[in-house]
Amino acid sequence: MEIIHVSAECYPVAKVGGLGDVVGALPKYQNKLGHIAKVVMPMYLTKYLYEHQFEVVHKGSFGMGPYHLDYTVIKEVTNHNGFDLYLVDIFGLLDRENVYSYDDDTFRFLSFQIAVTDWISHWRHHPDVVHVHDHHTALIPFMMQNCFDYRHLAPIKTVLTIHNAQYQGWMGWDMAQNIPSWDQWKWGLLDWDKNINSLACGIKCASKVNTVSNGYLEELMRSANGLEFLFNLERQKCYGIVNGIDTEVWNPTLDSYIESNFEEDTIEAGKLANKQILCNQFNLDINKPLIVFIGRLVEDKGADLLPAGISDSIIYMQGKMNFLVLGSGNKNIESSLDSMSHHYFGYYNSRIGYNEKLAHQMYAGADFLLMPSRVEPCGLNQLYALAYGTMPMVRRTGGLKDTVKDIGEEGGFGICFNDTTVGEICHAVYRAINIFDEQKSFALIRKRMLAIDHSWEKSAEIYLNLYKS
Ligand code: ADP
């Protein structure tokens, strides 16, 4: 089977969050299963672009409202990541340093989607599946079926994976003029609540839709930022497939980002050595449980509650623990977390920003990983934590509910709580301190975590079955 993944992110080329991790791993595992999976993404000006060799494979152009845009598709010369990688260059629009956060993002990603559809329309053969990810690429199934120039692509099956339904790619109807000449009778496919809604359109037009966990799919049926009715209408073609982890990247035995590699037999010494490095670097105490947070500093992740959750825990539990936070996002949250480092010197520290290496070191050296998320479609952090023997402390929501079992249950290996509140965070911290104090049983639970299989092999098979269906 030939599968074309279209995405705004792909690790290690450009990653902002879990979307990048998934698109950087799933195609590799699909290739390992004997299929041909390729990735197409925008050509951003990232380090990766300059450090790898590319060749031009296609040049084309298309009209976008009053504009005439030229695009170039380049392909990485070696199959460096385990799949063929194609980058789409549109001068002045996609060739930027960051993935998102530009005022013209709507126009940028629309142009990317048109270029990809146009390019595929020039192929002499049809791929079996075009697999689009999130709202940035969700208009492609519509264009393949309803733009007059691309209608010969209509028989190709499409899959939309929703990594996060909070962001939907809304745009005003004035943008409709930028979509290449399309069948105006089909306006209802683009529309949701009097706007063009890319994600809603993808849900309506894709052959199959999936979210990145079953728990999240169930939640979307009740609450989906305005799309719950649509999810209920289309539920027959919606599935939940939990993400895997790329064990070539997230593996304590092989990880080149960490100082001390370890496996099941050497986990205690290995984790301690990595913890020592973190504690030295951030002025923390190796004898106390180290609780970390890694992620986007946004309300969905419960990051707004971190300052109070951390300070209350330190004060009320007499500093019996240490905290370390790595993240970026909301400026107010960033500045409170940053300024707290002075107040709680020796108990708490933070690194505001994005740092892939430090993230690996934290998964390896920490004792606990806190995720008080309000919304968590799958969550990869807790899976990485488990792979490195770090106990996840999670709010029961979406994928966290599906992948973490509380230690109070038989075979459990995590700390789970029901609400995103400061009180619940403090209670989870209290439980963490007690678990840490029982070193012998904690060591056994760590081994249990390492034995859990969250590799992509299983989920990659499930995706293939979805394509076949
Ligand atoms: P989301 O995609 O909603 O941000 P996920 O849990 O699916 O959340 O994926 C988050 C990914 O991004 C993980 O690989 C995590 O380690 C990484 N990550 C998030 N913030 C940072 C950061 N500040 N520095 C390094 N890695 C980060």
Side-chain angles (χ1 to χ4, degrees):
M1 222 183 250
E2 184 182 7
I3 307 126
I4 312 301
H5 289 273
V6 192
S7 171
E9 297 177 38
C10 173
Y11 177 84
V13 191
K15 165 181 162 183
V16 177
L19 168 63
D21 282 338
V22 172
V23 179
L26 174 61
K28 178 160 76 181
Y29 286 84
Q30 290 177 329
N31 281 328
K32 284 186 187 180
L33 290 170
H35 299 273
I36 301 167
K38 304 172 176 177
V39 173
V40 191
M41 65 182 297
M43 190 201 82
Y44 309 112
L45 301 183
T46 60
K47 211 166 132 221
Y48 190 94
L49 178 70
Y50 300 113
E51 289 178 351
H52 295 82
Q53 267 196 312
F54 291 86
E55 62 190 1
V56 174
V57 291
H58 181 77
K59 277 177 181 285
S61 62
F62 55 87
M64 215 178 149
Y67 307 102
H68 183 85
L69 298 180
D70 294 322
Y71 70 94
T72 306
V73 183
I74 57 175
K75 176 179 183 276
E76 188 174 14
V77 173
T78 60
N79 185 302
H80 179 77
N81 298 300
F83 49 81
D84 286 343
L85 171 70
Y86 297 87
L87 307 182
V88 177
D89 178 25
I90 304 179
F91 178 71
L93 282 176
L94 301 178
D95 51 353
R96 312 239 179 114
E97 280 176 20
N98 296 324
V99 176
Y100 312 115
S101 304
Y102 297 101
D103 289 344
D104 58 350
D105 275 357
T106 305
F107 195 83
R108 294 174 67 224
F109 286 109
L110 183 56
S111 72
F112 168 63
Q113 296 179 80
I114 299 170
V116 173
T117 315
D118 190 79
W119 174 46
I120 296 175
S121 80
H122 284 87
W123 292 13
R124 266 184 250 135
H125 74 286
H126 279 172
D128 296 289
V129 179
V130 173
H131 187 152
V132 300
H133 297 263
D134 272 352
H135 73 84
H136 324 96
T137 57
L139 289 174
I140 290 177
F142 172 86
M143 292 198 279
M144 288 167 60
Q145 291 152 17
N146 301 296
C147 290
F148 297 115
D149 285 347
Y150 307 138
R151 267 181 160 175
H152 60 285
L153 302 178
I156 301 175
K157 300 297 176 199
T158 53
V159 169
L160 165 66
T161 297
I162 300 174
H163 300 258
N164 195 333
Q166 293 297 106
Y167 310 101
Q168 301 174 359
W170 306 272
M171 51 187 108
W173 267 101
D174 52 324
M175 282 297 279
Q177 56 156 339
N178 294 317
I179 301 174
S181 176
W182 53 281
D183 180 353
Q184 305 274 326
W185 285 99
K186 303 293 176 61
W187 69 272
L189 292 172
L190 290 169
D191 186 77
W192 194 256
D193 205 13
K194 301 189 182 68
N195 277 307
I196 294 179
N197 182 315
S198 307
L199 195 71
C201 177
I203 297 168
K204 294 177 205 177
C205 296
S207 321
K208 298 279 177 188
V209 175
N210 80 287
T211 62
V212 286
S213 71
N214 263 316
Y216 187 51
L217 181 59
E218 278 165 29
E219 284 171 17
L220 291 177
M221 297 287 170
R222 297 189 298 276
S223 162
N225 204 6
L227 296 187
E228 41 291 317
F229 178 58
L230 181 61
F231 276 105
N232 280 284
L233 276 179
E234 300 282 8
R235 69 187 314 158
Q236 300 300 337
K237 67 173 182 193
C238 295
Y239 300 81
I241 305 177
V242 78
N243 288 334
I245 66 175
D246 187 343
T247 46
E248 288 172 19
V249 179
W250 299 96
N251 185 338
T253 318
L254 307 170
D255 196 330
S256 57
Y257 282 132
I258 65 176
E259 293 295 326
S260 182
N261 291 105
F262 58 88
E263 53 193 5
E264 203 188 317
D265 292 343
T266 52
I267 182 169
E268 290 305 314
K271 281 193 75 72
L272 203 63
N274 289 303
K275 183 176 178 182
Q276 181 73 67
I277 292 162
L278 281 180
C279 289
N280 291 348
Q281 191 181 348
F282 291 99
N283 296 306
L284 301 170
D285 181 349
I286 191 163
N287 298 312
K288 293 180 180 172
L290 176 58
I291 303 173
V292 301
F293 174 96
I294 301 167
R296 292 183 292 119
L297 300 176
V298 295
E299 290 191 4
D300 280 356
K301 300 281 179 197
D304 51 314
L305 300 183
L306 287 176
I310 290 171
S311 51
D312 282 11
S313 296
I314 294 174
I315 292 165
Y316 295 121
M317 287 167 251
Q318 291 92 38
K320 286 185 185 152
M321 78 308 284
N322 279 174
F323 289 99
L324 180 59
V325 171
L326 166 65
S328 60
N330 179 300
K331 295 295 161 210
N332 290 335
I333 305 177
E334 280 185 2
S335 73
S336 1
L337 286 169
D338 193 28
S339 61
M340 280 171 55
S341 308
H342 304 291
H343 294 300
Y344 298 108
F345 185 83
Y347 297 98
Y348 161 83
N349 215 332
S350 65
R351 178 63 60 84
I352 303 302
Y354 188 92
N355 189 327
E356 193 75 27
K357 180 171 186 201
L358 180 57
H360 282 248
Q361 291 170 331
M362 287 168 70
Y363 290 117
D367 298 300
F368 299 91
L369 175 93
L370 178 61
M371 296 180 76
S373 307
R374 292 189 175 85
V375 181
E376 199 60 81
C378 174
L380 287 167
N381 299 21
Q382 81 281 11
L383 304 183
Y384 299 149
L386 291 170
Y388 287 77
T390 298
M391 183 178 278
M393 304 162 64
V394 306
R395 183 189 157 228
R396 286 191 183 91
T397 182
L400 298 178
K401 200 168 64 184
D402 291 5
T403 55
V404 182
K405 205 171 184 189
D406 191 89
I407 43 154
E409 297 168 45
E410 205 187 322
F413 46 80
I415 297 174
C416 302
F417 48 97
N418 289 329
D419 296 310
T420 301
T421 60
V422 171
E424 290 269 73
I425 292 175
C426 291
H427 187 244
V429 171
Y430 176 76
R431 290 184 70 196
I433 296 170
N434 288 331
I435 292 166
F436 182 82
D437 283 346
E438 299 294 327
Q439 282 290 324
K440 271 198 184 142
S441 64
F442 192 32
L444 287 177
I445 300 168
R446 273 182 166 154
K447 290 201 169 161
R448 193 181 293 163
M449 293 182 220
L450 248 58
I452 302 170
D453 179 13
H454 278 297
S455 62
W456 262 112
E457 275 91 0
K458 229 172 12 188
S459 300
E461 285 276 11
I462 302 174
Y463 271 105
L464 287 163
N465 289 334
L466 182 67
Y467 302 152
K468 285 177 194 153
S469 76

